[in-house]
């Protein structure tokens, strides 16, 4: 069934995506993610297997196998028109790097010129990241929590790989934007933002751009439909703090999406 | 920001304050219209003369551009004298009066009415001028005199009210060409209103930013006016178009054809966007009222700034601007015999139909061809003998489309248009030639809508798969299923709806069928010159639907077009089709890129009567400035893909549902209906529901 060499699993293809990189784009959502962020608003991206989602009056299959070749063909059809308006294609998820072989295959079939954006949690083996990340024209890299214990508590995984991959991106001057989901009391703390900024300041020679994504109160909406429960470890109703002062102090460009 | 003065004026307009001045006279008994001995030409002029005579000048303290209509009813000349009915033995187009064309505003502004009057007089004095021509020229002079008299009454009233600023305007216009931007807008307001006053309707405003630019520029250069002042004037002019619009006839209120075109290339093919293009887009956005209906001509060279301003206007949810792609439209028009220079000067009629200002007496809407009915007839007619093929279905569909087209055109062969001497004063060369616009015009083609095309293409694919490829059903079985309205085949129906190829997914299999349907239609139109002996008249096929997306489905009105029951793409009887070019209702599609790519496969060299791709965007797209810029990118995508026309709507479904429940709270909520925008709460429920059900492309 899981013929990763020829096929990938997607849970959505979204045309006219406006928050997934420069210009307007088509975003491919790869299913499956190693992280379990307890604020995630795309829980259908957790498991790599297609699964049923129960909406209020019907049942819908989420996740479909696609031939990598087919995806590349589709991208090749639209890319020239998207390039004319400075748009492109984005791979998101889930965690797209979790289907690294498919990504590699698809990109090898996409004709140049092209504009590809990777939206990633950064959680991938160094080997995977080092091979794939340089293939993209932009990387939207999530850096959620600096403290490793907290990271494990809220996402289920250590952030060691994430930091290493981030340093790789810095060292190789990859075109990078760091995204921080602003989760009340978790990622939007003074301490966390300060630690992230200080780390980036120390490790990167470039002036890095940050994008902040305030927590979406509707995030829990899909959990019930997937027969799982939404158990946020934070107070959903608390307003988030973007800490512009800290970003400004480090002279980072910052934008709230 | 709108100034306090204009805001007060807007409040007055919305509060129907100006309706208090209406006199509601019964025009049928007016003595001026009682003579049986006059020619139809003179009787047509009588309407303008009488209506002008009966108007009372109104000058409000808050306005600097004046005219308020005080008489609601225009007499219906043609039923007054039953013994000599103008239309006896003839086809009457809609309400009878000349409609849905656009005056040569550039010409009339540059000349003034006295110039036209002198021209007419000189032409009468020429001994070679025939009596028929003299009759026409005399009629134009009578209408000009009546209009000038009314203008003078406005001047006098202004003096009475100590409004020398207004009086001085009328010392120049409309008799002489305007000297300032202010005067040009006053003249436009006045002459445009006189067309409505003469019984004509769907009165277009043409290329506003082009023909007014010289007046604007001159005042700016001379320091007579700054941009803020120009902006105020534009807003006031736009506002004035909303004052009397409830009187104007249409299918639903709001369908009044006050289309205004912005942008596009000039006679040399060079993009001619200017300061007025931008100011007008901003003004419409500040004003947020249903008139004028803004249209924008775009090219791949249109600036990012204009795209962004347009996207901002789209954000307002007024349902405009509607976008036309110059590169595609102009090529198509020249292919149909419009000269390159004229084609480059196109504007739109009431909805989307391309017309040439001043030069066209095109009847752009003589009816619709129902593609679903054609496919359905093919399915009913094909022999169920095992040897029929899908090509036979296509052949029969083509024949049905030809038949429908021929029926429509035949019904128009006896068309008779009543003379329109006043309108002719404002058209190119009518006075020079001594002929009424209804008698002689450079372009007098007829347009037909090609309605519900997506449903028909989806149905063709379903027929192809079910009968000829998968051999799942015989022809008779499918006919029976449709006769039973899918009642015992819900599983098959669901499978067709969910799994079969659909228009809107950039899927060549079904998109090619859509293109075939339109090619059949184009061929059907071309054949009319032979079948119906039309002389120089050409039939222009279009891709719009107007109200036919409802009419063809529910058979609720008496019409020539065939309605249809359940259809093969899974549609149940009575369910509405989609409006103009949009995926079939309820169909899941990939998104706006694929929708545009599907519709870009239509051969727009042949399909030139207009009819936009219609996309509904969720209002959440526009939350940031970056979002607005990206909507601008989507419009550029539309241009690059090679689609012809785009209607981009912003919808907040929750708000619409709220408005259905509590209409009193949402009296000013504006939505796009088909080629026009209207107040949501004033629409009939079936139109409201269709709007709520349209595809919505949301963004997370």
């Amino acid at each position: 069934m899981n013929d990763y060499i020829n096929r990938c699993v997607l849970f959505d293809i979204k045309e006219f995506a406006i928050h997934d990189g420069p210009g307007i784009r088509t975003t491919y959502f790869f299913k499956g993610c190693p992280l379990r962020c307890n604020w995630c608003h795309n829980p259908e991206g957790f498991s790599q297997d297609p699964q049923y989602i129960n909406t209020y009056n019907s049942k819908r299959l989420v996740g479909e196998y696609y031939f990598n070749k087919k995806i590349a063909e589709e991208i090749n059809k639209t890319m020239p028109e998207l390039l004319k308006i400075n748009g492109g294609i984005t791979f998101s998820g889930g965690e797209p790097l979790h289907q690294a072989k498919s990504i590699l295959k698809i990109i090898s079939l996409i004709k140049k010129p092209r504009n590809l954006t990777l939206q990633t949690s950064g959680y991938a083996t160094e080997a995977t990241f080092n091979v794939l990340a340089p293939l993209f024209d932009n990387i939207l890299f999530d850096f959620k929590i600096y403290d490793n214990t907290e990271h494990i508590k809220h996402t289920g995984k250590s952030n060691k790989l994430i930091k290493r991959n981030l340093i790789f991106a810095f060292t190789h001057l990859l075109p990078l934007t760091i995204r921080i989901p602003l989760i009340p009391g978790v990622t939007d703390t003074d301490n966390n933002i300060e630690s992230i900024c200080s780390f980036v300041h120390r490790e990167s020679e470039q002036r890095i751009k940050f994008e902040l994504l305030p927590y979406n109160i509707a995030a829990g909406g899909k959990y019930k439909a997937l027969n799982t429960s939404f158990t946020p470890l934070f107070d959903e109703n608390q307003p988030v703090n973007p800490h512009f002062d800290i970003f400004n102090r480090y002279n980072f460009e910052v934008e709230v999406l | 920001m709108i100034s306090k003065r204009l805001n007060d004026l807007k409040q007055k307009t919305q509060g129907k304050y100006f309706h208090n001045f209406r006199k509601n006279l019964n025009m049928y008994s007016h003595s001026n219209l009682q003579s049986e001995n006059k020619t139809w030409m003179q009787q047509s002029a009588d309407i303008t003369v009488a209506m002008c005579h009966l108007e009372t000048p109104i000058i409000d303290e808050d306005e600097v551009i004046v005219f308020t209509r005080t008489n609601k009813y225009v007499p219906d000349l043609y039923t007054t004298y039953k013994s000599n009915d103008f239309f006896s033995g003839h086809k009457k187009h809609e309400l009878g009066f000349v409609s849905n064309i656009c005056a040569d505003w550039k010409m009339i502004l540059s000349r003034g009415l006295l110039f036209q009057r002198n021209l007419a007089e000189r032409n009468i004095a020429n001994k070679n001028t025939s009596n028929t021509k003299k009759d026409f020229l005399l009629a134009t002079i009578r209408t000009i005199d009546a209009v000038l008299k009314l203008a003078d009454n406005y001047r006098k009233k202004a003096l009475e009210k100590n409004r020398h600023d207004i009086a001085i305007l009328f010392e120049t216009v409309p008799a002489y060409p305007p000297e300032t931007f202010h005067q040009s807008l006053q003249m436009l307001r006045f002459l445009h209103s006189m067309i409505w006053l003469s019984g004509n309707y769907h009165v277009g405003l043409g290329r506003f930013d082009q023909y007014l630019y010289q007046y604007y520029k001159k005042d700016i250069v001379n320091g007579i006016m700054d941009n803020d002042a120009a902006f105020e004037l534009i807003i006031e002019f736009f506002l004035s178009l909303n004052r009397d619009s409830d009187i104007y006839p249409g299918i639903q209120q709001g369908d009044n054809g006050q289309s205004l075109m912005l942008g596009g290339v000039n006679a040399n093919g060079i993009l001619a966007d200017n300061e007025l293009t931008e100011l007008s887009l901003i003004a419409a956005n500040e004003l947020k009222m249903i008139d004028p209906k803004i249209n924008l001509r775009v090219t791949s060279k249109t600036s990012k700034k204009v795209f962004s301003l347009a996207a901002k206007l789209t954000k307002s949810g007024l349902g405009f601007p509607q976008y036309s792609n110059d590169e595609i439209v102009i090529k198509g028009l020249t292919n149909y015999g419009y000269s390159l220079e004229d084609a480059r000067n196109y504007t739109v009629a009431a909805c989307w139909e391309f017309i040439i200002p001043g030069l066209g007496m095109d009847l752009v809407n003589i009816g619709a061809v129902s593609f679903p009915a054609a496919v359905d007839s093919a399915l009913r007619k094909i022999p169920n003998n095992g040897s029929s093929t899908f090509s036979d279905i296509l052949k029969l569909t083509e024949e049905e489309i030809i038949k429908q087209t021929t029926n429509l055109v035949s019904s128009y062969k006896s068309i008779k248009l009543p003379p329109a001497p006043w309108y002719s004063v404002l058209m190119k060369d009518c006075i020079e030639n001594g002929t009424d616009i209804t008698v002689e015009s450079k372009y007098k083609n007829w347009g037909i809508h090609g309605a519900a095309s997506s449903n028909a293409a989806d149905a063709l694919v379903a027929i192809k798969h079910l009968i000829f490829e998968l051999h799942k059903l015989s022809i008779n079985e499918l006919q029976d299923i449709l006769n039973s309205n899918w009642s015992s085949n819900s599983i098959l129906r669901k499978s067709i709806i969910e799994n079969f190829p659909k228009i809107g997914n950039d899927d060549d299999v079904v998109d090619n069928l859509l293109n075939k349907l339109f090619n059949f239609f184009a061929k059907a139109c071309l054949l009319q010159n032979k079948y119906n002996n039309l002389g120089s008249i050409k039939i222009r096929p279009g891709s719009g639907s107007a109200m036919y997306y409802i009419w063809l489905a529910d058979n609720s009105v008496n019409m020539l077009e065939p309605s249809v029951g359940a259809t093969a793409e899974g549609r149940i009887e009575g369910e509405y089709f989609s409006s103009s070019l949009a995926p079939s209702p309820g169909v899941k599609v990939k998104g706006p890129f694929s929708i545009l790519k599907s519709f870009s496969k239509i051969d727009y060299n042949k399909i030139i009567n207009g009819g936009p791709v219609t996309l509904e965007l969720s209002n959440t797209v526009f939350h940031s400035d970056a979002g607005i810029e990206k909507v601008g990118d989507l419009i550029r995508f539309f241009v690059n893909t090679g689609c012809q026309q785009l209607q981009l709507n912003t919808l907040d479904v929750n708000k619409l549902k709220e408005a259905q429940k509590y209409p009193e709270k949402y009296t000013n909520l504006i939505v796009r209906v088909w080629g026009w925008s209207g107040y949501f709460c004033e629409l009939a429920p079936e139109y409201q529901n269709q709007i709520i059900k349209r595809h919505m492309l949301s963004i997370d």
Side-chain angles (χ1 to χ4, degrees):
Chain A
M1 195 65 177
N2 290 349
D3 180 1
Y4 296 135
I5 296 173
N6 293 321
R7 295 194 291 181
C8 57
V9 189
L10 305 178
F11 68 90
D12 202 3
I13 302 172
K14 187 153 212 121
E15 297 183 344
F16 189 45
I18 62 172
H19 297 308
D20 300 341
I24 55 177
R25 320 184 67 83
T26 299
T27 301
Y28 291 80
F29 292 90
F30 287 77
K31 200 163 173 338
C33 182
L35 303 187
R36 289 294 177 272
C37 307
N38 64 63
W39 56 77
C40 184
H41 63 275
N42 273 341
E44 71 271 38
F46 288 165
S47 159
Q48 190 167 335
D49 299 321
Q51 64 194 120
Y52 279 100
I53 185 164
N54 298 298
T55 60
Y56 68 101
N57 59 0
S58 69
K59 224 174 163 186
R60 177 168 73 86
L61 186 69
V62 178
E64 238 180 290
Y65 288 94
Y66 291 87
F67 283 104
N68 297 328
K69 211 178 122 197
K70 178 94 202 311
I71 296 294
E73 274 168 14
E74 219 177 80
I75 292 172
N76 282 333
K77 261 169 82 177
T78 323
M79 186 67 85
E81 268 132 6
L82 289 173
L83 284 179
K84 276 190 213 159
I85 50 171
N86 304 319
I89 298 289
T90 297
F91 293 148
S92 181
E95 172 48 63
L97 298 183
H98 203 51
Q99 297 187 51
K101 286 181 180 165
S102 283
I103 300 269
L104 193 59
K105 183 71 193 166
I106 293 169
I107 292 181
S108 74
L109 295 171
I110 300 176
K111 290 183 197 135
K112 286 180 182 171
R114 62 195 184 195
N115 184 288
L116 302 174
T117 292
L118 172 68
Q119 196 162 26
T120 178
S121 68
Y123 194 89
T125 64
E126 287 171 271
T128 298
F129 192 83
N130 297 359
V131 170
L132 287 182
L135 300 177
F136 288 88
D137 303 284
N138 316 281
I139 301 170
L140 305 172
F141 194 116
D142 270 22
F143 194 7
K144 301 176 177 95
I145 306 175
Y146 185 79
D147 180 79
N148 196 28
T149 320
E150 279 288 297
H151 197 274
I152 295 170
K153 179 181 161 197
H154 283 282
T155 71
K157 287 282 196 294
S158 151
N159 65 11
K160 270 191 192 137
L161 279 175
I162 296 173
K163 283 180 188 162
R164 257 185 242 161
N165 287 334
L166 200 49
I167 288 170
F168 174 87
F170 290 150
T171 326
H172 292 85
L173 301 176
L174 299 185
L176 193 75
T177 301
I178 295 178
R179 287 187 157 183
I180 307 176
L182 291 180
I183 310 301
V186 181
T187 64
D188 76 337
T189 62
D190 198 58
N191 189 22
N192 188 47
I193 302 285
E194 175 64 42
S195 305
I196 289 175
C197 286
S198 146
F199 171 80
V200 173
H201 179 72
R202 192 168 62 236
E203 301 292 343
S204 170
E205 286 173 22
Q206 285 171 282
R207 182 172 181 240
I208 295 294
K209 185 187 173 189
F210 282 86
E211 288 178 350
L212 308 177
L213 299 99
Y215 176 72
N216 180 355
I217 198 87
K222 292 181 193 161
Y223 284 78
K224 207 177 156 204
L226 288 159
N227 289 327
T228 54
S229 57
F230 179 56
T231 48
L233 303 175
F234 54 92
D235 178 4
E236 277 195 280
N237 295 312
Q238 202 184 305
V240 293
N241 187 345
H243 290 288
F244 291 127
D245 51 326
I246 303 179
F247 291 103
N248 289 340
R249 183 148 41 79
Y250 283 95
N251 190 28
F252 289 138
E253 190 185 340
V254 61
E255 190 189 342
V256 178
L257 291 190
Chain B
M1 275 297 291
I2 297 190
S3 67
K4 183 181 176 307
R5 172 182 76 86
L6 288 175
N7 209 33
D8 289 349
L9 205 52
K10 183 179 173 182
Q11 300 290 324
K12 284 182 190 168
T13 306
Q14 284 181 330
K16 306 189 194 317
Y17 163 79
F18 292 96
H19 297 190
N20 294 332
F21 300 106
R22 289 183 191 163
K23 293 179 285 194
N24 295 340
L25 294 179
N26 182 358
M27 290 295 302
Y28 292 96
S29 60
H30 193 265
S31 57
N32 273 2
L33 300 173
Q34 290 299 310
S35 165
E36 298 229 14
N37 301 324
K38 289 182 177 173
T39 61
W40 287 107
M41 185 62 78
Q42 296 308 325
Q43 289 184 47
S44 287
D46 282 347
I47 295 183
T48 310
V49 172
M51 291 299 288
C52 285
H53 177 70
L54 289 170
E55 277 299 314
T56 307
I58 304 294
I59 296 173
D60 187 80
E61 56 186 8
D62 284 324
E63 52 181 15
V64 300
I65 297 171
V66 298
F67 182 75
T68 297
R69 174 100 164 244
T70 57
N71 281 292
K72 200 168 168 177
Y73 303 110
V74 180
D76 189 354
L77 179 66
Y78 313 104
T79 51
T80 315
Y81 305 96
K82 286 200 174 69
S83 58
N84 191 13
D85 192 347
F86 179 79
F87 288 108
S88 99
H90 289 282
K91 168 84 179 177
K92 176 173 162 183
H93 178 60
E94 297 178 2
L95 303 175
F97 288 104
V98 164
S99 67
N100 226 354
I101 59 173
C102 181
D104 191 343
W105 296 117
K106 185 187 164 86
M107 175 277 291
I108 197 66
L109 286 171
S110 70
R111 288 181 173 182
L113 288 181
L114 279 184
F115 184 101
Q116 295 295 77
R117 194 186 188 285
N118 290 340
L119 210 58
E121 282 208 326
R122 251 185 300 160
N123 212 341
I124 289 174
N126 185 328
K127 62 180 184 317
N128 295 327
T129 303
S130 70
N131 284 339
T132 316
K133 288 189 174 186
K134 280 180 184 159
D135 187 36
F136 162 73
L137 292 163
L138 196 63
T140 63
I141 289 174
R142 292 182 56 222
T143 62
I144 290 171
D145 287 347
V147 170
L148 287 176
K149 181 89 199 321
L150 179 56
D152 199 49
N153 288 343
Y154 261 90
R155 186 186 63 83
K156 286 176 186 153
K157 179 74 169 220
L159 287 175
E160 253 172 55
K161 295 193 85 171
N162 250 331
R163 288 292 304 272
H164 294 275
D165 59 323
I166 302 281
I168 210 161
L169 294 174
F170 283 99
E171 278 172 17
T172 308
V173 295
Y176 303 99
E179 283 156 7
T180 64
F181 186 58
H182 187 178
Q183 287 177 7
S184 68
L185 284 170
Q186 176 61 69
M187 180 156 166
L188 184 61
R189 167 68 184 155
F190 203 75
L191 299 189
H192 182 251
S193 302
M194 295 301 111
I195 303 177
W196 284 108
L197 200 63
S198 303
N200 306 105
Y201 60 98
H202 284 350
V203 186
L205 288 151
R207 304 185 69 186
F208 185 79
D209 58 344
Q210 302 300 310
Y211 61 74
L212 288 179
Y213 186 63
Q214 63 178 101
Y215 307 101
Y216 161 85
K217 194 73 194 172
K218 194 175 131 204
D219 284 6
I220 293 283
V221 169
N222 293 341
I224 289 172
M225 159 186 91
D226 61 12
N227 251 337
D228 290 349
F231 184 66
E232 281 241 353
L233 288 170
I234 294 171
I235 290 202
E236 183 170 344
F237 176 76
F238 285 3
L239 185 57
S240 74
L241 297 170
N242 292 279
R243 188 172 298 176
D244 311 316
S245 52
D246 61 303
I247 305 174
Y248 305 157
I251 299 283
Q252 295 267 312
Q253 194 179 324
D255 172 24
N256 60 30
Q258 297 194 107
S259 307
L260 183 145
M261 181 59 86
L262 299 171
V265 302
N266 61 19
N268 301 319
I270 294 159
L271 184 66
D273 290 359
N274 58 42
E275 296 94 311
L276 281 183
T277 320
E278 295 176 8
L279 283 177
S280 303
L281 286 170
I282 301 169
N285 199 14
E286 285 288 339
L287 192 60
K288 292 192 176 45
M289 293 190 73
I290 56 175
D291 283 300
K293 279 99 177 128
I294 303 287
N295 282 265
L296 181 66
R297 289 174 43 171
V298 289
T299 79
S300 53
K301 295 194 177 72
T302 301
S303 74
K304 256 197 136 164
K305 186 172 178 207
V306 166
F307 277 123
S308 284
L309 287 175
K312 243 181 223 165
L313 182 52
T314 295
K315 177 193 175 185
S316 304
L318 302 161
F320 46 73
Q322 174 174 257
Y323 305 90
S324 297
N325 186 351
D326 268 13
E327 282 147 39
I328 302 296
V329 174
I330 292 167
K331 210 164 136 230
L333 285 171
T334 53
N335 200 37
Y336 266 75
Y338 292 80
S339 80
L340 182 59
E341 195 186 334
D342 292 344
R344 281 173 173 164
N345 195 32
Y346 79 89
T347 181
V348 291
C351 294
W352 45 66
E353 305 89 343
F354 310 112
I355 54 171
I356 315 302
L359 285 174
M361 190 50 255
D362 295 329
L363 300 178
V364 293
N365 173 14
I366 67 163
V369 160
S370 169
F371 289 135
V375 172
D376 191 66
S377 297
L379 186 66
R380 311 267 166 197
K381 284 184 180 160
I382 194 165
N384 184 28
N385 56 16
S387 64
S388 300
T389 63
F390 184 63
S391 302
D392 298 332
I393 288 276
L394 288 177
K395 186 87 202 103
L396 284 167
T397 304
E398 181 180 6
E399 284 169 18
E400 288 300 320
I401 288 174
I402 293 172
K403 202 167 101 187
Q404 283 189 42
T405 308
T406 310
N407 281 345
L408 274 180
V409 173
S410 307
S411 77
Y412 262 78
K413 276 187 73 178
S414 62
I415 177 79
K416 197 167 175 196
L417 291 170
W422 167 244
Y423 223 143
S424 300
V425 170
L426 311 177
M427 301 296 278
K428 194 169 170 34
D429 294 341
C430 282
I431 294 185
E432 284 87 334
N433 297 334
T435 47
D436 191 87
I437 184 65
T438 57
V439 176
E440 197 178 309
S441 61
K442 190 164 178 188
Y443 304 111
K444 42 184 174 184
N445 302 321
W446 301 347
I448 303 179
H449 301 301
S453 50
S454 295
N455 281 83
D458 291 351
L460 277 176
V461 140
I463 290 168
K464 188 179 180 201
H465 280 0
L466 290 171
I467 298 175
F468 301 100
E469 283 174 355
L470 307 171
H471 302 287
K472 232 178 155 148
L473 295 173
S474 73
I475 291 163
N476 282 354
E477 281 165 342
L478 182 56
Q479 287 170 356
D480 290 344
I481 288 171
L482 296 184
N483 291 342
S484 77
N485 199 18
W486 296 99
S487 58
S488 51
N489 299 80
S490 57
I491 294 171
L492 175 65
R493 180 172 169 256
K494 191 165 184 272
S495 156
I496 294 171
I497 291 173
E498 287 176 5
N499 303 324
F500 278 36
K502 295 286 183 313
I503 292 296
N505 286 312
D506 190 20
D507 179 336
D508 284 343
V509 173
V510 59
D511 294 348
N512 289 343
L513 289 171
L514 179 79
N515 188 28
K516 271 210 166 76
L517 284 169
F518 277 111
N519 285 344
F520 294 160
F521 185 25
K523 183 177 162 190
C525 290
L526 213 56
L527 284 170
Q528 294 311 312
N529 287 73
K530 194 165 87 190
Y531 291 180
N532 269 311
N533 220 355
L534 296 174
S536 64
I537 296 170
K538 290 199 174 84
I539 307 299
R540 317 191 325 176
S543 52
S545 64
M547 56 287 176
Y548 292 101
Y549 64 94
I550 285 176
W551 286 5
L552 295 176
D554 71 2
N555 197 18
S556 60
V557 289
N558 191 10
M559 59 180 182
L560 197 62
E561 290 82 357
S563 63
V564 68
T567 39
E569 76 281 17
R571 180 186 142 277
I572 56 172
E573 188 175 358
E575 219 180 290
Y576 301 141
F577 297 106
S578 46
S579 178
S580 297
L581 295 177
S584 305
V587 162
K588 188 164 168 26
V589 292
K590 286 182 192 161
F593 300 157
S594 294
I595 292 174
L596 289 167
K597 291 192 82 175
S598 272
F599 291 118
S600 73
K601 294 171 200 171
I602 295 171
D603 183 355
Y604 293 111
N605 281 325
K606 297 177 182 163
I607 306 299
I608 57 123
N609 203 47
V613 177
T614 307
L615 295 178
E616 318 285 334
L617 296 180
S618 157
N619 58 339
T620 56
V621 180
F622 298 95
H623 282 167
S624 66
D625 284 352
I628 288 166
E629 208 165 284
K630 291 186 182 199
V631 172
D633 287 342
L634 182 64
I635 307 163
R636 290 164 69 212
F637 185 92
F638 144 80
V639 174
N640 293 337
T641 321
C643 285
Q644 185 183 56
Q645 215 167 23
L646 175 67
Q647 178 54 54
L648 210 51
N649 304 330
T650 311
L651 267 191
D652 181 345
V653 172
N654 291 331
K655 205 193 240 181
L656 298 182
K657 286 181 179 160
E658 251 325 86
Q660 277 190 318
K661 260 193 248 162
Y662 310 106
E664 67 283 0
K665 281 198 230 163
Y666 292 91
T667 45
N668 292 323
L669 179 61
I670 294 168
V671 290
R672 186 77 172 180
V673 188
W674 60 87
W676 50 278
S677 300
Y679 289 104
F680 183 75
C681 297
E682 289 170 2
L683 301 173
E686 64 266 30
Y687 291 96
Q688 291 187 349
N689 291 332
Q690 202 273 349
I691 288 166
I692 287 175
K693 271 177 29 194
R694 281 181 198 162
H695 276 270
M696 242 232 316
L697 304 160
S698 72
I699 302 298
D700 294 329

